[in-house]
Amino acid sequence: MVWGRRRRARRWLDGWEQVAETALPQWSLLDDRERARLGARVEHLVRRKHWEAARGFELTQEVVITIAASAGLLALGLDRDCYRHVKAVVVHPKTFTSHGVRATHVRGVVTRGPQRLLGHARDGRGPVMLSWRAVRRDVRHPERRQNVVVHEFAHKLDSADGLFDGTPEITDRADRAEWVQVCNREYRRLRRRPEPDPVLRRYATKSPAEFFSVASEVFLMQPLALEEHHPELYRVLCGYYGQDPAGRERHP
Ligand SMILES: [Zn+2]
């Protein structure tokens, strides 16, 4: 069984760069060092997490590497173990329905309706659940600037300290205090704002946790616009994520 899983992982990882190039609009901006680092993140996710297909869906290299590449890009400047609470990734073919305890916006759910989910990242040690249709839509339409994989894995980073509150693990006390101050201010401003924000979509006002996940998506998908419209938020995100995506876009 373990041998079978190893072989499957090796098959998925063989030639992963071609899949990542298609999956990530940022691929062409990464230098050799960043691509090597991304490769290490992708390999860690593929080998160490339990990958599962729901409802007869089949996991292919395209499915697994597309997801691992986005999650890996988000973690490019973080510790290798940053996703240690993610034990499993479950991929559904389409939108899926939440069962058991009713998930709400506050608990980290992306939904188009009351129960139909595009992605779900339970706090604690639950799996990351994703709709492949939603993941593929984000890849095929980069102009929408959304990334459900980044969104759900950001929820996992948020809850790594046991709290689902929009503040991930930041060990330095001064950095943490600055994070809380900046994010609280930006979140309150966004909620009060009568007109739509140029970069942060309305969903970010649901809760501090959703604010963090939406901001994390924008950090990677529209870094120049985020830096322009929310420079302080951009700066604390750079500090936490240990990368500067806007700098990458300015100096490819
Ligand atoms: Zn969410």
Side-chain angles (χ1 to χ4, degrees), residues 158 164-167 184 187 204-213:
D158 176 12
F164 203 70
D165 60 355
T167 303
N184 276 342
Y187 177 63
T205 63
K206 290 279 179 195
S207 69
E210 295 305 343
F211 177 82
F212 171 61
S213 274

Side-chain angles (χ1 to χ4, degrees), residues 38 60 244:
L38 178 63
T60 62
D244 177 13

Side-chain angles (χ1 to χ4, degrees), residues 218-233:
V218 175
F219 178 66
L220 285 186
M221 306 306 289
Q222 289 181 279
L224 289 169
L226 184 66
E227 187 186 37
E228 183 189 341
H229 294 285
H230 301 274
E232 286 186 78
L233 176 61

Side-chain angles (χ1 to χ4, degrees), residues 6 15 29 54 73 83 95 100 129 148 213 225-226:
R6 276 191 201 150
L29 306 175
L73 184 67
Y83 295 131
T95 52
M129 293 197 280
V148 67
S213 274
L226 184 66

